[in-house]
Structures are given as structure tokens and as C-alpha cells.
Amino acid sequence: MKQSLTPIKKTHFGIARKIVSNMTSESWETIPHVVVTYEPEVTQLLNVIKEINDKGDAHITINTVMLKVITEGLKACPAMNAHLNFNRKLVRGNITQFEEINISMPMMLNTGEMMTVNMHNMHSKSITEMQDAIKDTRRRANNSDMNEVMFEVSLDNTLNGLKEGKIIQTINRLVGSKTGKHKVKTLTGSAKKEYYSIPKSDRLTKHDIEQGTITISNMGSIYRDWCDGCCTLLEIIPPQVAAIAIGSTQLKPIAQTDGTVRTGYKLPMTIAFDHRALDAGDVVPFMKKLDEIFANPQIIKEWI
């Protein structure tokens, strides 16, 4: 017997949820995920960050420091900073590694919406420059109409699909976004004219949310009291070959080699990679580089 339920609210997907749903579905349908957990001790790192901030020369956050640390890890492991092109029918593929490290990073907006932005050229930025870039992106995001930005990206993806001969996919997307209750609502008339009169330097464009070279999600920044690990089911967004999630720092007992136990701060991280592009050994240089940094965190003073 079918159970009778009382609905509280029914919401049709907006364009942001459409795009996220499509991309994550493609991720789990096409990518053979391998997930490893990594939990370094960051007690010394936190002490160095506090030392820097107490001096007042700069104020840096653990979020930005970790982005810099991960960026240095990716420089040592360029295989993770790559895109995969694979044709399963013909069993043909190629992997393109990039010098530029463009980080796709989920960002919580003032409206409560979540937007994944592309932080370009993080490989060439200092910690301060990274922090300034994130702050400016957040400023522009809060001036932006997310439906308009996402529609630009969706339209661009649809046109590229058409060029690649994906005619049925293109027709389905047009029907799904332009008809009935599921129609995507974008600005029109004077509202549209007024919005696009805002300089591009003061709002997001498709350049800001286009596909990066890797995705990094800081789950700990969303809920700092989270007292468990990261998402073990972390999705990789194609054509990227890796994704990283950072949890929140946690005070834990740490066993010493002499058998004694002390307390220290650990930072749980999850690393997911596409098994078509990488094997477990391929991500070892990344973790070794991070181990090196956490063992000698004074180096971050050189990155400010």
C-alpha cells in the first residue's frame, strides 16, 4: 500500500541545482573513484599561523594557508592537476597536465547559496595574494545574479556540446530549461540591462565559474565544529582527475614512539582520484610534500 504523506514544500530545480545535479551524476556514472584519507598533525602549523598573526604584519587564515599548502603539493604532483579525455567505446584516452593551478572552490554566499568559483592561477600567488583574490571573488559574487552567471556557463556548455555533435543532448537541455515549470528564469528587459551595466570587475562572469584544474572543498570552513572526517564519497568533476576535501582541525590523542600519549591537532583530509588516470602510487608525491611542509611549517613565512 502506498503511504500517504503530507508535503511541506515542493521546489523545482533552479539552474544552479540543474548544473550541480548534471555534473555530479556524470561524475558517479563515468568515473571510477578511488578515495584515500590523510590526517596530518598540524599543531606546529597552527602555532606558526598564530605567531604570524600575533605580530600583526599580516593576518592569514588556516583556510588560505591550506590552499597554499595544497598548491605546493600539486606542484610536486602535477599528475593530480590534470584533465582526462577518454572514449570508452574506442578505448582511447589522453591526460593533459597543467602548469597553471586553477582551483574550483565551493563558496558560501551571503544569500546562503553555494557557488563553486574558479580561483585562477593559484600556483603563482602568495598566501596574501590568495586571500585577496578570494575576498575579491566573494565581493563580486555577492554583487552577482547567480542565475545569470550560471545561465552563461550552461549556454556555453550547450553550444560546445552542439559543436561536438551532441545534438540529442542539446535538444534535451533546451527542452528541460525552456519549457513548463522547469523553465530557467533569467533577467529580462530593464532589469537585465541594469544588471549587465555593472562592470565585469564588480560581478562574476563565466570565466569565474568555468571548470578548474582540480576541486578543493573546505568542509571545515562551512561547519567548524564538525568533529568527524571529511566526505569519503567526494565526487570528481570531469574532466578533472582529482578532488580534495579538508575537514576541521580536531584535538586528538597522539601516540609517541616511546609509548606515551600527548594531545595535538590533526586535520582530516580526503583525496579522491580517477582510477583511469591515476594509481595510488601517483598521489604519494602529493602527500610526501605535505608531510614535508607540516614537519617544517616555518616555511609558510616565506609564502606570505
Side-chain angles (χ1 to χ4, degrees):
M1 177 182 287
K2 187 176 180 181
Q3 186 179 4
S4 178
L5 301 174
T6 304
I8 297 175
K9 182 180 181 182
K10 182 177 181 179
T11 305
H12 292 289
F13 280 7
I15 189 167
R17 186 51 49 190
K18 283 175 181 277
I19 291 176
V20 169
S21 298
N22 183 64
M23 293 179 70
T24 53
S25 294
E26 182 181 353
S27 171
W28 290 112
E29 288 170 1
T30 62
I31 297 177
H33 287 62
V34 177
V35 177
V36 297
T37 56
Y38 173 66
E39 193 178 59
E41 184 184 355
V42 294
T43 307
Q44 293 184 57
L45 179 77
L46 295 177
N47 289 338
V48 172
I49 293 173
K50 184 177 185 303
E51 179 187 341
I52 292 169
N53 290 336
D54 285 347
K55 285 185 177 180
D57 296 331
H59 182 81
I60 57 177
T61 66
I62 186 171
N63 177 49
T64 314
V65 170
M66 283 306 302
L67 284 180
K68 178 63 175 174
V69 169
I70 290 172
T71 298
E72 293 301 312
L74 293 173
K75 289 179 183 178
C77 188
M80 292 174 62
N81 188 57
H83 283 178
L84 170 72
N85 177 34
F86 179 69
N87 185 316
R88 188 174 182 182
K89 290 182 180 179
L90 298 176
V91 198
R92 294 176 179 175
N94 58 73
I95 302 166
T96 305
Q97 297 180 9
F98 301 102
E99 178 181 356
E100 296 84 2
I101 298 175
N102 298 334
I103 298 175
S104 293
M105 185 181 77
M107 176 179 287
M108 185 72 77
L109 307 181
N110 289 346
T111 59
E113 296 175 281
M114 184 72 78
M115 169 65 69
T116 298
V117 296
N118 187 333
M119 302 306 305
H120 289 269
N121 300 315
M122 299 300 264
H123 64 287
S124 62
K125 289 181 168 57
S126 66
I127 291 175
T128 304
E129 289 169 338
M130 282 183 167
Q131 204 154 269
D132 289 344
I134 293 170
K135 182 178 179 181
D136 183 66
T137 299
R138 190 181 301 278
R139 174 189 68 83
R140 291 185 293 115
N142 287 319
N143 286 338
S144 301
D145 185 298
M146 291 300 106
N147 281 346
E148 289 296 317
V149 183
M150 298 296 273
F151 184 74
E152 286 184 38
V153 174
S154 179
L155 181 60
D156 192 55
N157 289 341
T158 300
L159 293 175
N160 285 335
L162 192 59
K163 291 177 183 177
E164 295 170 2
K166 299 176 181 178
I167 299 174
I168 294 177
Q169 180 191 78
T170 301
I171 293 173
N172 288 339
R173 286 188 175 185
L174 288 173
V175 171
S177 64
K178 291 295 184 181
T179 60
K181 296 178 180 179
H182 300 277
K183 183 177 180 180
V184 173
K185 297 178 181 179
T186 55
L187 297 175
T188 59
S190 59
K192 183 172 183 177
K193 184 176 181 180
E194 181 180 353
Y195 175 73
Y196 282 99
S197 69
I198 300 173
K200 290 184 177 180
S201 59
D202 289 330
R203 59 179 170 85
L204 297 184
T205 67
K206 64 181 181 181
H207 175 72
D208 296 296
I209 57 174
E210 66 188 2
Q211 188 68 269
T213 57
I214 189 170
T215 295
I216 301 175
S217 300
N218 191 337
M219 310 303 292
S221 68
I222 298 173
Y223 181 37
R224 293 183 180 180
D225 292 330
W226 190 348
C227 60
D228 210 333
C230 302
C231 303
T232 54
L233 293 178
L234 177 66
E235 67 262 11
I236 302 160
I237 303 302
Q240 298 173 6
V241 301
I244 300 169
I246 309 169
S248 57
T249 54
Q250 299 170 24
L251 187 63
K252 290 192 172 185
I254 299 173
Q256 303 290 94
T257 55
D258 63 0
T260 59
V261 177
R262 63 178 175 83
T263 57
Y265 285 95
K266 289 206 165 188
L267 181 62
M269 298 173 61
T270 299
I271 303 168
F273 61 88
D274 187 334
H275 212 338
R276 297 172 301 176
L278 299 164
D279 295 317
D282 294 321
V283 304
V284 170
F286 173 80
M287 290 187 283
K288 282 187 173 180
K289 184 62 178 180
L290 266 62
D291 284 341
E292 178 186 315
I293 295 168
F294 294 134
N296 181 31
Q298 292 291 333
I299 193 171
I300 70 173
K301 293 179 179 179
E302 301 174 13
W303 297 340
I304 295 176

